[in-house]
Every structure is written in structure tokens, then in C-alpha cells.
């Protein structure tokens, strides 16, 4: 985040004395070079770093870092920058500050901007005691990391099953892609159960879609990505049998897919199905001979198999050694 344009606390009394003498305050000076977003100067904007792509849509879910400052204070009164991955927030539902929502709707992915929110767009005439005084203008710095447009997804799931079946393929693929992107975000937060539910929604959309000639290739490509996601997620959930099922479904689409072969090998290794694990992993290695993950998994398999055989030998020895001893004694 950029450094806030505020006055250090030890200079605050001097600054307030100048304001009392008729000099503009820091926020007043800043506002003179800012863009009026709302037309009533209630939300003012200064771009610190340009973004790229489309502007945020009204139904989007946003991934944003933010810090809020009071005038004459150099530390934020509210921030989420301490989080490694911010929480995904849906516009119109999970963002309570009106000015922040208005500001986000002007931003593009990767953009960093500074905003001034007048009381009407911030904490109102009452403020938020004891932290925010009444009728306070606040400064917020927003960094838009990413956003997901869920408008078409919301529209799709509001339809009946028959209506979904005739939804245009391009939009079906976009809805499935949006669900998968939500799953990817949740996966990165280690929320594997929630990620699985998003991936399964994407899978359901694609698998129940009756396709026409010429559409199969696009649908199969989309299904392949979702099946790979589901296989990996079930491994994280320690459910290798389900991981194997989705890995094999991916292989039904692309039998030489190295990721699918690798996931199936991992699942079989966890289930101690060593022969099957070796078959999958050797096939994966054939596709990507220099892949460190595949080669390391083969080493792990060899170690596990040796350990398994040693235990088998030890068990056999324990079973048969008393018989051998008694036979010797009888002779």
C-alpha cells in the first residue's frame, strides 16, 4: 500500500492551529487534486497505480486490500492488510461502507487508489464512537487484487432445470468458469470443503448440459479442469478414493494428462495400492520425465513399498517362528 497522505501525530496541534488561522487542512489540500466520483464531492478519488481490464461490475465479489485513516493520524483505524489473503466480499451484501462500494465500482484489477469519503458516504453524522467522531471525513486506500463477476452465475442458478438446458453454451462455460474461480480462491485459503462445493457446482453445470455437435470439445476441456481440481481437493480432504474417481474421470477425457495420472498415483499410494500407484506414476513420468513432484512421489512409493515388505516379512516370521521352534524341540 502507498504511504497515507496524513499529518504525523506530533505535528497535529500545529496543523490544527494553522487550520484555525484559515489554512486548508491536509484532506482539504488533497481533495483539490482528486476526481469527483459521485458528482457531489462526497467520494473523491486519486489513482496511485493504474489497473487493467474491465471496471468492477455491480454484482461482483471483490478481493481488496484496504486501510482507513482519520485526518492527522498516521496509523489506520481499520485495515485488512495484515491478512495474507483478504476475504472475498460481495458488493451489495458484505461491504457496509457506502463510499467503499462506490469507489470499488470505479476500479480495475491491479489498481491502487486513494479515496476521501465525506460523512454521508462513510460513518454519517453520528460517527462510530469512540473510534470515529461525528461528521468525519475519512481517507481509504484500496488495492483491488481481483474480482469475480457473479451476475451471470446468479442468473443461471435462478433458472429452472429446463431453462438451464437451453442457456447459451458461451454463458454456461462462463458460469462454470466463475464457480471454478471461486473454488480456486477458497482452495488458496485452505477452505477445502467450501472449494469442493464450488467445484462440484461447476461439474454439475457441465455434466448435465446436453451438448450439440461441435460443442463437445469445449465442454470436455472445461470438465477436465474441474475434475483435476476436485481430485486435488479430495486429496487435501484426505479422501483418496474420491480423488481417484475424479482423477480417472479426467483421464477418460485425456488419458495422457500428467496431472491426472499424478493425482491417481497419489491417491493409490495413500490407499496402499502400490501396484496401481506405480502404474499411474510411471505413466505420469513418461509424460513429464523432469517433473520433480512426480519423481519424488516415485521415490516415496519405493520407500513405502520397502517398508511394507519389511513388515510383511516380520509378520511371517512371527507367525511361523513358534512352529519352527516347537518342531525342533520335538526332534
Amino acid at each position: 500500500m502507498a504511504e497515507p497522505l496524513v499529518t504525523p501525530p506530533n505535528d497535529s496541534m500545529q496543523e490544527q492551529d494553522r487550520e484555525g488561522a484559515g489554512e486548508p487542512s491536509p484532506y482539504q489540500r488533497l481533495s483539490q487534486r482528486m476526481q469527483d466520483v459521485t458528482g457531489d464531492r462526497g467520494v473523491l478519488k486519486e489513482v496511485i497505480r493504474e489497473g487493467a481490464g474491465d471496471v468492477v461490475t455491480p454484482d461482483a465479489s471483490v478481493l481488496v486490500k484496504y486501510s482507513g485513516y482519520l485526518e492527522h493520524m498516521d496509523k489506520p483505524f481499520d485495515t485488512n492488510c495484515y491478512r495474507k489473503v483478504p476475504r472475498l466480499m460481495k458488493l451489495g451484501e458484505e461491504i457496509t461502507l457506502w463510499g467503499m462500494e462506490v469507489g470499488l465500482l470505479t476500479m480495475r484489477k491491479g489498481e491502487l487508489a486513494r479515496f476521501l469519503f465525506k460523512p454521508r458516504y462513510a460513518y454519517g453524522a453520528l460517527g462510530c464512537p469512540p473510534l470515529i467522531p461525528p461528521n468525519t471525513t475519512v481517507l481509504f486506500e484500496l488495492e483491488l487484487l481481483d474480482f469475480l463477476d457473479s451476475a451471470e452465475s446468479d442468473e443461471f442458478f435462478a433458472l429452472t432445470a429446463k431453462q438451464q438446458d437451453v442457456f447459451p453454451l458461451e454463458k454456461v462455460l462462463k458460469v462454470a468458469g466463475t464457480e471454478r474461480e471461486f473454488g480456486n480462491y477458497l482452495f488458496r485459503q485452505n477452505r477445502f470443503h467450501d472449494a469442493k462445493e464450488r467445484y462440484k457446482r461447476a461439474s454439475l453445470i457441465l455434466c448435465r448440459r446436453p451438448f450439440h455437435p461441435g460443442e463437445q470439445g469445449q465442454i470436455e476441456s472445461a470438465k477436465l479442469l474441474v475434475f483435476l481440481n476436485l481430485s486435488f481437493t479430495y486429496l487435501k480432504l484426505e479422501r483418496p478414493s474420491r480423488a481417484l474417481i475424479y482423477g480417472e474421470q479426467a483421464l477418460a477425457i485425456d488419458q495422457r494428462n500428467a496431472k491426472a495420472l499424478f493425482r491417481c498415483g497419489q491417491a493409490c499410494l495413500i490407499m496402499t495400492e502400490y501396484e496401481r500407484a506405480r502404474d499411474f506414476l510411471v505413466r505420469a513420468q513418461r509424460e513429464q520425465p523432469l517433473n520433480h513432484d512426480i519423481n519424488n512421489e516415485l521415490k516415496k512409493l519405493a520407500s513405502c513399498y520397502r517398508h511394507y515388505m519389511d513388515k510383511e516379512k516380520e509378520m511371517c516370521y512371527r507367525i511361523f517362528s513358534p512352529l519352527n521352534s516347537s518342531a525342533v524341540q520335538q526332534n
Side-chain angles (χ1 to χ4, degrees):
M1 301 294 284
E3 287 297 318
L5 211 158
V6 295
T7 305
N10 57 353
D11 294 334
S12 61
M13 293 302 295
Q14 184 180 353
E15 187 72 41
Q16 289 168 6
D17 288 342
R18 286 201 297 268
E19 290 168 28
E23 292 187 26
S25 72
Y27 282 5
Q28 288 171 337
R29 290 198 299 271
L30 175 61
S31 69
Q32 292 171 8
R33 66 171 189 259
M34 299 179 84
Q35 174 193 354
D36 183 3
V37 172
T38 52
D40 61 358
R41 300 195 63 80
V43 176
L44 303 176
K45 177 181 180 181
E46 179 184 38
V47 176
I48 300 168
R49 183 183 67 230
E50 296 284 351
D54 296 329
V55 174
V56 173
T57 53
D59 295 300
S61 293
V62 296
L63 198 62
V64 61
K65 285 188 175 181
Y66 64 83
S67 293
Y69 298 88
L70 297 174
E71 200 167 20
H72 308 300
M73 296 188 69
D74 61 350
K75 291 185 179 179
F77 66 83
D78 186 18
T79 183
N80 70 346
C81 291
Y82 61 87
R83 289 174 177 262
K84 187 176 181 181
V85 181
R87 185 170 63 87
L88 200 65
M89 297 183 291
K90 187 168 177 61
L91 296 180
E93 294 181 12
E94 297 177 286
I95 296 177
T96 56
L97 209 63
W98 187 16
M100 185 183 292
E101 182 144 339
V102 170
L104 284 166
L105 288 170
T106 69
M107 298 182 72
R108 303 173 191 274
K109 182 179 177 180
E111 183 178 331
L112 174 63
R114 179 181 289 134
F115 293 89
L116 281 177
F117 303 147
K118 294 292 177 64
R120 180 169 174 241
Y121 291 88
Y123 298 95
L126 298 178
C128 187
L131 197 60
I132 313 294
N135 286 310
T136 299
T137 295
V138 294
L139 180 146
F140 266 80
E141 287 182 355
L142 306 180
E143 182 180 10
L144 183 64
L145 304 178
D146 202 355
F147 71 93
L148 299 173
D149 182 2
S150 58
E152 284 187 303
S153 184
D154 295 339
E155 178 189 349
F156 179 84
F157 286 108
L159 299 174
T160 65
K162 286 185 179 181
Q163 289 172 325
Q164 289 178 2
D165 289 343
V166 296
F167 213 60
L169 176 63
E170 182 183 349
K171 291 190 174 183
V172 169
L173 293 174
K174 187 175 180 181
V175 170
T178 298
E179 291 299 315
R180 181 171 171 265
E181 287 178 27
F182 272 111
N184 290 344
Y185 164 76
L186 293 165
F187 187 95
R188 289 192 294 270
Q189 283 201 318
N190 295 328
R191 294 167 57 185
F192 302 123
H193 179 79
D194 293 332
K196 176 202 69 175
E197 294 303 316
R198 286 290 187 171
Y199 293 141
K200 289 184 80 171
R201 274 162 62 105
S203 172
L204 181 63
I205 293 165
L206 296 167
C207 290
R208 71 180 300 273
R209 164 81 183 187
F211 54 82
H212 304 290
E215 294 183 345
Q216 183 175 3
Q218 289 177 278
I219 293 175
E220 294 291 274
S221 295
K223 283 164 65 175
L224 175 62
L225 295 174
V226 174
F227 291 155
L228 289 171
N229 288 139
L230 278 165
S231 183
F232 194 18
T233 303
Y234 274 114
L235 284 173
K236 291 291 187 181
L237 290 170
E238 300 181 351
R239 296 178 62 184
S241 61
R242 297 295 297 174
L244 180 60
I245 288 170
Y246 283 106
E248 289 182 321
Q249 287 187 26
L251 289 173
I253 298 171
D254 179 4
Q255 62 181 354
R256 296 180 59 181
N257 188 282
K259 280 188 178 180
L261 291 165
F262 180 55
R263 301 294 177 226
C264 289
Q266 287 180 300
C268 289
L269 178 54
I270 294 169
M271 295 188 292
T272 67
E273 296 183 16
Y274 297 124
E275 290 297 327
R276 291 186 73 192
R278 184 180 183 281
D279 176 63
F280 283 123
L281 292 171
V282 167
R283 286 166 61 193
Q285 188 186 51
R286 198 175 298 137
E287 299 301 324
Q288 294 185 6
L290 302 179
N291 187 299
H292 292 296
D293 291 334
I294 295 171
N295 292 330
N296 287 338
E297 200 71 10
L298 277 165
K299 291 177 184 177
K300 181 180 175 182
L301 169 63
S303 175
C304 290
Y305 186 70
R306 280 196 303 271
H307 182 66
Y308 167 77
M309 291 305 296
D310 289 343
K311 288 190 113 181
E312 286 288 300
K313 288 177 183 177
E314 184 182 348
M315 187 179 296
C316 289
Y317 177 78
R318 287 179 178 177
I319 291 173
F320 294 112
S321 60
L323 294 177
N324 293 336
S325 299
S326 59
V328 170
Q329 288 174 1
Q330 286 175 4
N331 290 335

